[in-house]
Amino acid sequence: MVLLSMSFCFAAAGWMALPLLLVLTLLGGYTGALIVLSYATIAEAGETVPSYAKIGEHSCGTFGKWLVVVSSVIETFFCIVSMNIITWKNIACLMPSLPLTWLILGSVMLSFPTNWLTDFNRLSFLSAFGLGCVIFICADIGYEAFERLFVESPLRQAHEQHELLNFRGLPMAASIMFAGLTGHVSLPPIYASMKRPSRFASTLVWSFSAMFLFYAFVGACGYLLYGADASVIVTEDMSRNAHGAMDRLLVSLILVGMAFKLFCSVPMCVVVLTDITENLYLEKHGRYMRKNAIMYWRISFWLAGVILSVVFYDSLEYVTAFVGVHSTEMFRLREWSRPHYPNHPCARAIGISCMLHIEYYPTHSWYNFSRNPSRLFTGMNSLLISVILPIAFYLIIHWRGMSTLSKAWYLAVLILSTLLTMMISWVDVNDFIDSITP
């Protein structure tokens, strides 16, 4: 739920977080286009499976495939950790008088039976539900910012808390921001399922434009309201600063909605991990895994996620920066791009990875993807899987047909992206170590 951390990003980097967000959005859209172009090229050569892993395999052989597989497992697992933490924090805001330990224990007990869920089609309403939460968040924080600017004395209480630029916070802000601009792994199956693939480019532009506008709006309004003291998730600030019955009611609805949405999304991620494990077993042994073994893996992934969520509860910003939280979850775009929705008036505006990765990957899209898994750990992960690898794979696949100038361009962008990723990762890791060092 990277949207919830946008005001924290602005607090970390200052107002320069806005142009930083614009640059990262452009970069995310550009590399997304490269992934699809790479898939289109291998599809012309006879590849029939639209997956990121297949692009990696065509580019770098078995190594490329396994790089994508390992990335997928790590990112999806830490997605569970992030969603657990955000769920618990929202519940704590709803029930501040109850001990946190009991709130977490109650949530874990309610979550355990979800390991036996087998049909997730009934949860498809979460897409529209999550969109409603986004609208409520924007409405509430936008109204508060308007009131601060035009009703109260402008910037009366937080004037000294705003900075134009904070260099030290830029790496953290960039990591978290790009975590909300990933989801590139789902682009090949989306492209392959579209009735009119020629519209993909315009859909991509609409999608990333919508993400930028929503992220920028929430981040700027949150920073204006809460300044340098903005929390890792804006719902905590909204809860503390709610005034009046209507405001408290709206904030409560947002907290309930976000907690419920993420609570329901965790078992979907667990199923994705189990499905990846099951298919790796099938590939190695030539037979399907037994049902009791599948359930063992499912509960193991769930339990490991719970344990690490408890361990990292107070370090959500680092989990988000290091993971590429998909929170990287996606709208049911596969449904929007199917032939029976080709002319839906919202199809282009909703777009790929629409609604800010607030919605979970559709079961169909994730299921197809996990049959040919992909994606890694950290803002290292987000930048690796959504920037470095798309450029590298595109360069390798199209090398022979490129001009010298094109080769120089892509090599320069690849080297620069790699260096930036290493620098950002180094700073984030050191900040995390400092934060836990007595």
Side-chain angles (χ1 to χ4, degrees):
M1 306 298 297
V2 178
L3 178 74
L4 302 181
S5 297
M6 277 299 118
S7 57
F8 176 80
C9 293
F10 276 66
W15 286 114
M16 288 302 292
L18 185 59
L20 174 64
L21 176 61
L22 177 61
V23 171
L24 293 178
T25 303
L26 293 173
L27 182 60
Y30 178 68
T31 55
L34 292 183
I35 289 176
V36 171
L37 289 173
S38 296
Y39 167 69
T41 300
I42 65 174
E44 289 178 359
E47 178 57 58
T48 58
V49 179
S51 76
Y52 200 164
K54 284 296 182 181
I55 297 174
E57 189 173 12
H58 278 266
S59 303
C60 304
T62 303
F63 172 77
K65 171 189 172 182
W66 279 100
L67 181 60
V68 175
V69 170
V70 172
S71 300
S72 171
V73 171
I74 294 176
E75 186 176 46
T76 306
F77 176 76
F78 279 91
C79 172
I80 295 173
V81 175
S82 298
M83 290 193 292
N84 278 336
I85 294 174
I86 296 174
T87 299
W88 298 344
K89 285 182 176 289
N90 283 336
I91 294 174
C93 291
L94 278 169
M95 306 174 184
S97 60
L98 295 180
L100 179 62
T101 302
W102 289 107
L103 292 176
I104 293 177
L105 182 60
S107 178
V108 170
M109 292 177 65
L110 288 174
S111 177
F112 180 69
T114 63
N115 287 300
W116 279 265
L117 284 175
T118 57
D119 183 8
F120 291 98
N121 289 327
R122 295 180 180 179
L123 296 180
S124 60
F125 72 93
L126 290 178
S127 295
F129 192 80
L131 175 58
C133 291
V134 171
I135 294 173
F136 277 137
I137 290 173
C138 291
D140 185 81
I141 201 169
Y143 174 77
E144 292 293 333
F146 176 85
E147 191 175 50
R148 171 67 62 85
L149 281 172
F150 300 106
V151 179
E152 301 178 5
S153 298
L155 308 180
R156 181 181 62 191
Q157 298 175 349
H159 179 74
E160 295 79 15
Q161 295 180 321
H162 298 89
E163 295 180 288
L164 178 62
L165 174 62
N166 181 0
F167 277 107
R168 182 172 178 79
L170 279 176
M172 173 64 70
S175 298
I176 295 177
M177 285 176 176
F178 210 87
L181 296 166
T182 56
H184 290 52
V185 70
S186 66
L187 297 184
I190 289 172
Y191 173 81
S193 69
M194 293 182 71
K195 183 178 180 180
R196 297 182 178 88
S198 59
R199 294 187 176 182
F200 183 87
S202 60
T203 303
L204 196 70
V205 171
W206 278 102
S207 303
F208 277 87
S209 298
M211 286 192 286
F212 172 76
L213 292 175
F214 276 94
Y215 284 155
F217 181 80
V218 173
C221 290
Y223 186 45
L224 177 68
L225 290 169
Y226 312 122
D229 296 325
S231 301
V232 181
I233 55 174
V234 72
T235 47
E236 289 186 323
D237 294 320
M238 294 168 66
S239 178
R240 283 194 298 267
N241 291 274
H243 303 295
M246 287 302 297
D247 196 17
R248 284 193 292 270
L249 176 61
L250 181 58
V251 171
S252 296
L253 289 173
I254 292 172
L255 290 171
V256 170
M258 301 306 284
F260 176 72
K261 192 270 172 189
L262 291 175
F263 180 86
C264 294
S265 297
V266 168
M268 297 182 187
C269 279
V270 172
V271 168
V272 169
L273 291 175
T274 307
D275 199 30
I276 292 174
T277 305
E278 186 180 356
N279 282 278
L280 291 174
Y281 180 90
L282 176 63
E283 182 179 322
K284 181 177 180 180
H285 298 283
R287 63 179 184 274
Y288 290 101
M289 191 181 293
R290 291 179 298 178
K291 288 186 177 181
N292 59 342
I294 294 174
M295 184 54 62
Y296 167 81
W297 279 105
R298 192 167 176 177
I299 294 176
S300 297
F301 284 129
W302 173 84
L303 182 60
V306 168
I307 293 172
L308 282 186
S309 299
V310 173
V311 171
F312 290 110
Y313 181 83
D314 292 322
S315 303
L316 177 61
E317 66 271 32
Y318 297 103
V319 176
T320 306
F322 289 149
V323 175
V325 57
H326 21 217
S327 323
T328 11
E329 300 141 293
M330 285 197 171
F331 189 68
R332 294 177 59 82
L333 182 64
R334 187 175 177 94
E335 297 292 71
W336 288 102
S337 59
R338 284 183 177 181
H340 51 280
Y341 289 134
N343 300 312
H344 193 287
C346 296
R348 295 182 66 186
I350 288 176
I352 301 155
S353 59
C354 176
M355 289 311 124
L356 325 163
H357 299 271
I358 293 296
E359 312 318 320
Y360 197 74
Y361 284 98
T363 303
H364 318 71
S365 187
W366 255 120
Y367 180 80
N368 291 337
F369 159 58
S370 63
R371 295 289 173 185
N372 302 278
S374 91
R375 289 173 51 159
L376 185 357
F377 180 49
T378 82
M380 311 168 215
N381 168 52
S382 297
L383 289 168
L384 172 68
I385 205 68
S386 297
V387 177
I388 296 176
L389 291 186
I391 298 171
F393 291 164
Y394 181 84
L395 186 62
I396 293 171
I397 291 174
H398 298 90
W399 180 264
R400 292 184 179 180
M402 284 185 178
S403 65
T404 302
L405 185 61
S406 295
K407 291 177 181 178
W409 163 254
Y410 287 109
L411 282 172
V413 174
L414 179 61
I415 293 171
L416 179 61
S417 300
T418 302
L419 291 175
L420 286 174
T421 300
M422 294 173 64
M423 181 192 72
I424 291 173
S425 301
W426 175 262
V427 173
D428 286 347
V429 169
N430 279 279
D431 281 350
F432 175 68
I433 294 174
D434 291 342
S435 72
I436 62 175
T437 302

